[in-house]
Amino acid sequence: MPRTKKTKDTKTPTDTKDAGPSAVRNRQRKSTSKTDGYALDTTRQLQTQPTGRVEAVQSPQIPGNVIKKLVAFSVTLLIAPILTYFLSLNFVFAGSTTPAAITAAVTANIVLAAYVYAAWVEESDGN
């Protein structure tokens, strides 16, 4: 027995003419695209101005120093624990891996704490 693909009626009350003009505007703003089976919602945020015009809301720009700080801490978080592990393994703990691994984990936590502190200080300076 051959399988037939079931089609679903996607007509809802908001798709009819009697739904009103706001439903039509909302449908026109929203578009979806399919990528690898996932629907991506690309709805734009719109804002009505006092004059009645509708304009797109701009996202705030991220300052360059914030990006530089994030990249610097990310690279440090990648390099510092590995470097600490191998340096402490070869020179401090003479081949004992457990204390060297603990040292690397502590180093990673110090870098993360420093990033949180830097973000906290930056936010308090902005106020």
Side-chain angles (χ1 to χ4, degrees):
M1 182 186 239
R3 287 187 175 181
T4 58
K5 193 173 192 179
K6 290 184 180 181
T7 58
K8 187 177 181 183
D9 185 21
T10 58
K11 199 107 169 136
T12 61
T14 59
D15 290 337
T16 60
K17 283 193 262 183
D18 58 355
S22 65
V24 173
R25 279 195 305 266
N26 289 337
R27 265 199 323 271
Q28 289 171 348
R29 283 187 217 148
K30 187 173 183 179
S31 65
T32 57
S33 61
K34 298 244 179 204
T35 306
D36 297 333
Y38 296 101
L40 302 175
D41 186 6
T42 56
T43 304
R44 293 180 62 191
Q45 294 180 356
L46 300 177
Q47 182 178 28
T48 304
Q49 300 296 322
T51 59
R53 282 189 344 187
V54 176
E55 294 181 359
V57 177
Q58 295 292 324
S59 299
Q61 295 294 322
I62 300 173
N65 64 342
V66 173
I67 299 296
K68 288 177 187 175
K69 189 180 293 185
L70 177 64
V71 169
F73 274 101
S74 297
V75 169
T76 305
L77 188 59
L78 177 69
I79 293 172
I82 295 171
L83 187 65
T84 304
Y85 174 78
F86 284 110
L87 287 176
S88 64
L89 180 67
N90 292 327
F91 298 112
V92 178
F93 298 114
S96 181
T97 57
T98 302
I102 292 171
T103 305
V106 168
T107 302
N109 284 308
I110 289 171
V111 172
L112 287 173
Y115 179 71
V116 169
Y117 177 75
W120 186 344
V121 167
E122 180 179 307
E123 186 169 310
S124 65
D125 288 344
N127 291 337

